[in-house]
Amino acid sequence: ADKIQGGGHKHSVRAGYLYAELDDANVAHKHHICKWITVEAGNEISVVEPSEIATVHGLPESVWVRHLEGEMKSERDVLSLPWALLSTILFALMLLQHESVSTENSSQKAFKDDITQNANFAFTGNFGAKNYQDVNSYADFWSWMNKGFMPLTNTHDVPVSEDSGLDL
């Protein structure tokens, strides 16, 4: 190993890296991020500029390879994004084409409105004063079920036009 003197410390070059050899009074410590860099006690969390790493300390091959692998993974992830978006758009188009979403929503809304407005209970004469939102007890539930919901959903009448000549 070549010995270099400078800056109050001895330095040596091994395997293409420049290493600081600290005096016996200063025990060698590892930097908290750049583990291959030895620093004086108390400087473990000091800022090491990238230019200093490149010119003085060097960069181990394993760190460089790990960085490049991370960059290549990020690139693959970004390149897969257009395909993911295309798949999502195609899924949405197929869903709209095959499932008639607007018809389904209209049917559900009509069913809900019919139950809300026409499945009444608590009758006074021919007028039901309460709907399913007014059910507060077991008795109310069964009254609504027997007087409001079941007659609405289980009709045996076939709706026909008034002017129809059908006698059903």
Side-chain angles (χ1 to χ4, degrees):
D2 299 328
K3 300 282 185 184
I4 302 170
Q5 189 74 17
H9 300 290
K10 297 177 189 170
H11 296 82
S12 65
V13 177
R14 286 175 276 162
Y17 296 107
L18 183 64
Y19 292 94
E21 294 178 0
L22 302 175
D23 299 342
D24 291 339
N26 295 320
V27 179
H29 292 272
K30 301 285 185 194
H31 191 268
H32 80 291
I33 294 176
C34 305
K35 303 291 186 201
W36 67 93
I37 298 176
T38 54
V39 294
E40 295 178 2
N43 290 333
E44 294 89 357
I45 61 171
S46 62
V47 175
V48 181
E49 295 294 327
S51 60
E52 180 184 346
I53 291 174
T55 58
V56 177
H57 304 289
L59 190 64
E61 183 179 348
S62 62
V63 173
W64 180 244
V65 168
R66 188 172 53 239
H67 172 73
L68 287 179
E69 287 172 347
E71 288 294 317
M72 290 181 347
K73 182 186 179 311
S74 295
E75 181 182 8
R76 282 191 307 270
D77 292 345
V78 168
L79 290 176
S80 71
L81 184 61
W83 293 109
L85 292 174
L86 179 65
S87 297
T88 303
I89 290 169
L90 286 176
F91 173 78
L93 291 174
M94 293 295 217
L95 178 72
L96 292 174
Q97 180 65 30
H98 292 287
E99 289 298 323
S100 302
V101 175
S102 60
T103 304
E104 184 67 27
N105 286 341
S106 297
S107 299
Q108 288 178 5
K109 184 176 180 341
F111 185 71
K112 179 181 175 189
D113 290 346
D114 192 29
I115 289 177
T116 302
Q117 295 172 6
N118 299 324
N120 299 326
F121 71 102
F123 282 88
T124 305
N126 290 331
F127 176 72
K130 296 181 177 181
N131 64 17
Y132 77 91
Q133 296 167 334
D134 299 315
V135 172
N136 293 319
S137 67
Y138 293 115
D140 284 350
F141 172 77
W142 288 111
S143 176
W144 173 77
M145 184 62 76
N146 291 329
K147 301 286 186 183
F149 184 74
M150 294 307 285
L152 181 68
T153 58
N154 292 328
T155 60
H156 296 292
D157 298 335
V158 177
V160 292
S161 173
E162 293 86 13
D163 294 332
S164 171
L166 296 176
D167 185 24
L168 303 174

